[in-house]
Amino acid sequence: MPSSPATRRYVVFLGAINVANRRVTMPELRRIFEAAGYADVETFIASGNVILSAAANDDRALEDAIAAHLEESLGFTVFATVRTIAELLAVQAFDGFPPLDDDAGTATVYVSFARDPWPASTADALQALETPTDSLMVSGREFYWRSLKTLSTSPIKPHQLAKALGTPNTNRNMNTVQRIVAKYGPA
């Protein structure tokens, strides 16, 4: 008798789930994921973070299945990428930025999650956008932006960043990542 595949906890990061005329409540999102057969479904703050248990065999297939089910259920395309808690622990521990001369605790770090690692050319394109208040780095499937300003007051404009990154992704404040790890990570 074959054994069933092991399951693992995943964090699903969705992009553009609640923008423009698109409005999906977190209870509705939970129902959609449960209807797709995922277990232990929870949402975390209303920005497209879903925690669930699924077969631990192929993360890309899981991302594809989630995106297809969401498009069928909602009627529009939703970017979806998954990370394990272990992967989020590594994201949380990222320390690739040079030290700041005068960090009064005002720096904010944002993380963009993509489905595939960014090519080396992306790092060059990002370096060209850096400012005295904005440091940009890629590492694997994550892009990190440390800013001494708010995103809305940064001299880096969203269209410039999208062009430099060149691949679909979704952004979170590092505080959100830390809160997810604190709630769902190892005890």
Side-chain angles (χ1 to χ4, degrees):
M1 172 184 246
S3 63
S4 61
T7 62
R8 85 166 57 145
R9 264 329 234 169
Y10 287 97
V11 178
V12 182
F13 293 106
L14 303 174
I17 191 77
N18 281 324
V19 296
N21 293 328
R22 301 175 182 175
R23 294 288 175 237
V24 182
T25 67
M26 294 305 101
E28 179 183 5
L29 198 55
R30 278 191 304 275
R31 282 191 298 276
I32 290 169
F33 276 86
E34 288 167 348
Y38 300 109
D40 309 315
V41 177
E42 297 181 49
T43 56
F44 186 82
I45 66 174
S47 61
N49 307 305
V50 180
I51 295 78
L52 54 80
S53 294
N57 55 2
D58 183 351
D59 293 359
R60 175 48 61 97
L62 178 61
E63 290 170 334
D64 290 343
I66 288 170
H69 185 73
L70 287 170
E71 185 168 4
E72 181 181 310
S73 299
L74 299 172
F76 56 85
T77 301
V78 177
F79 173 80
T81 189
V82 300
R83 298 295 188 276
T84 63
I85 293 298
E87 289 171 319
L88 290 183
L89 284 166
V91 167
Q92 177 180 280
F94 178 79
D95 190 24
F97 291 116
L100 293 170
D101 291 337
D102 182 27
D103 182 12
T106 58
T108 302
V109 176
Y110 303 91
V111 184
S112 293
F113 297 94
R115 292 179 73 178
D116 297 306
W118 274 287
S121 60
T122 301
D124 296 335
L126 290 171
Q127 188 175 21
L129 293 177
E130 286 190 331
T131 72
T133 59
D134 297 281
S135 297
L136 311 170
M137 298 190 80
V138 292
S139 178
R141 297 185 301 154
E142 284 76 44
F143 156 67
Y144 299 87
W145 179 356
R146 181 181 67 191
S147 184
L148 300 178
K149 297 183 172 222
T150 63
L151 292 186
S152 62
T153 60
S154 169
I156 300 173
K157 302 302 174 210
H159 72 277
Q160 294 173 303
L161 196 55
K163 183 177 178 183
L165 290 173
T167 189
N169 61 83
T170 186
N171 308 310
R172 300 295 183 276
N173 186 304
M174 184 63 85
N175 292 335
T176 300
V177 173
Q178 291 168 338
R179 289 173 56 201
I180 290 171
V181 168
K183 183 169 182 176
Y184 299 99

